[in-house]
Amino acid sequence: MQNQGSVNGTMILVFGILGFVLCPPFGLVAWSMGTNAIRHLDSLGIRESSERGLANAGRICGIISSFLWLGALLLTLMNSNAAEQKRKASGRPPFGAAYSPSMPPH
């Protein structure tokens, strides 16, 4: 029988770490599961346990990885938008566009 205070903190920590290096959704899952685990332990009145520490570490890793991936996504979108603006200003056709005789060569 499983202990009522068991929240599988190791799995939450692993998901938080995987959110950094492998796949951003793992960070979101760790954030959510860690928050739920901390609330569950609080409702049981458990303030000190190794499971709580692991769950909290996984939650923090999930939060950090989520914001890092979001920042990387925003930078990528801003960079692609800047590149498109530069391309339009130069008058060049989009990458992969078929050459048309009516278009002047560059």
Side-chain angles (χ1 to χ4, degrees):
M1 187 162 139
Q2 194 174 20
N3 183 4
Q4 279 187 327
S6 179
V7 292
N8 210 354
T10 304
M11 182 177 69
I12 296 169
L13 180 59
V14 169
F15 279 7
I17 293 169
L18 288 175
F20 274 115
V21 296
L22 187 62
C23 185
F26 279 119
L28 295 172
V29 170
W31 186 354
S32 174
M33 288 177 63
T35 300
N36 289 336
I38 297 295
R39 286 182 184 157
H40 176 69
L41 292 172
D42 284 344
S43 71
L44 295 175
I46 300 172
R47 300 283 182 230
E48 297 295 325
S49 79
S50 62
E51 288 291 315
R52 183 183 184 90
L54 291 171
N56 201 31
R59 181 177 70 114
I60 292 169
C61 285
I63 291 169
I64 293 170
S65 70
S66 296
F67 280 106
L68 286 176
W69 280 101
L70 179 64
L73 176 67
L74 289 175
L75 286 174
T76 301
L77 291 175
M78 288 177 7
N79 189 32
S80 67
N81 188 33
E84 181 65 17
Q85 299 261 337
K86 186 176 178 182
R87 186 204 56 80
K88 283 182 180 179
S90 71
R92 289 181 299 188
F95 179 75
Y99 173 73
S100 170
S102 64
M103 294 172 60
H106 282 36

